[in-house]
Amino acid sequence: MTGEQPVTGGGKAMLSVLRRHRGYRRLFTAQVIALVGTGLATVALSLLAYDLAGSHAGSVLGTALAIKMVAYVGLAPLISALARQLPPRPLLVSADLVRAAVALALPFVDAVWQVYALVFVLQAASATFTPAFQSLIPRLLPAEDDYTRALSLSRLAYDLEVLFSPLLAAALLSRITYDWLFLGTVIGFLGSAALVLSAALPGPAAAPADGAPGLAARITRGTRVLLATPRLRALLALTLAIAAGGAMVMVNTIGYVRDHLGRAASDVPVALGAYGAGSIAAALLLPTLLRRVSDHTLMLPAAFASAALLLALAALTRTGAGAWQWPVLLAIWCAFGVTESVIMTPTGRLIRRSASAADLNATFAAQFSLAHGCWLLTYPVAGWLGSAAGLAVVALVLGAVALGAALAAWRLWPAPDTSYLPHVHTTLAYGHPHLADAQPAGGGWRHTHEFVIDDLHDRWPLRPHHT
């Protein structure tokens, strides 16, 4: 890191972290290249499904999406537990090589079950790569401002991939067949592996203070950190709130544009683009906003806004058709993008603030798994209920889900948010040096110190209390 002072404000501030941190610059470039490759694979997989299943291609893709979510939810904590003491470089490179091998094999499949098997392997590798990658960034960027900019850059990369990859795929398909798009995916993952190999990375994190517990304890460790920390319990509820809105957009945009508004198919990507534009705008503004206000102040209102947007959408759907509904729909979709970015972008800050360095990988893996569990709940509701009961009903139901989640987050997340929380130890004996300033309370000893799970001598059970 050079002696250059951080740049404040907007896109220049975010780009400054790339200029000043060579290791992070290479990792971010690896992420971008891999995302482009993934986007090309998404388009190619859709066309492959049509070749294999014809009019049933939608069912194939829906099953593949469900397999992806199941792999994310079920495997991320397990893989994190098995690989927690491995150096990050071989772990990330191995995951990229597996993903490249799967992409190379996909053009040669001739049965739907082969697609499902390869998608499962691909997503298992992604469930390995993503939490390990996320836990590595805060170790590379210890300064809070730099890390916040990195989180915003990562969000921008995801949003721009959604907009850019389909355009790139369309341009390539005018000259090549879709099979060759998988080669672009292979190149993306191999490029990502090469950049990870070239980056200066820290070694494996120190082992947690509990030494080497059994596999079951290691698998559940990240989840226990989440559930023992008020702000992280609230984060799960916040994730459910924006998953309700996001599922409505991802599943039912085509229904609103084509059936409810009767507009052309070419307007579907316009609506999805409004959603992406809102997310991008929020990601650009967040580094500046988070220097002035707390995560708590921004994230909780965003959850309530997601609920309000869904309820407004339900009311809009029941009104008569009119030309005014199209720009209103675009505005609502844009606002959904803003709420998702405002909640998802600072997630890494909350995790880094709440977990010790030794627990970062496990906690990121647990959050990755449980967050996708929220989407696994809301996707079927948005799709099946929308088909059975109509768009207005599903918007109302998902609005109620988002409102309940927002209220839960409000109840769970203390204000003001602090790392110094009163809590009760139930297993330490009287006279233990950790309890020097403690008072008897509720069958245990109550005192206050910085709430980092790895610092607590009797981590489980732990009953945190807050005012």
Side-chain angles (χ1 to χ4, degrees), residues 112-183:
V112 169
W113 71 267
Q114 296 170 354
V115 174
Y116 296 156
L118 288 173
V119 165
F120 181 81
V121 175
L122 176 68
Q123 303 307 336
S126 293
T128 302
F129 183 94
T130 303
F133 179 90
Q134 290 174 330
S135 66
L136 194 58
I137 303 307
R139 297 173 61 200
L140 282 173
L141 303 174
E144 183 84 350
D145 283 350
D146 285 340
Y147 185 47
T148 302
R149 292 164 188 154
L151 292 173
S152 291
L153 278 171
S154 181
R155 184 70 204 180
L156 279 172
Y158 280 108
D159 291 333
L160 290 173
E161 180 271 322
V162 172
L163 298 175
F164 173 72
S165 290
L167 296 177
L168 176 60
L172 292 173
L173 287 171
S174 67
R175 297 183 175 273
I176 60 176
T177 61
Y178 76 82
D179 292 23
W180 290 97
L181 293 182
F182 288 116
L183 181 59

Side-chain angles (χ1 to χ4, degrees), residues 380-398:
V381 172
W384 298 339
L385 188 59
S387 298
L391 295 173
V393 172
V394 71
L396 187 64
V397 170
L398 287 174

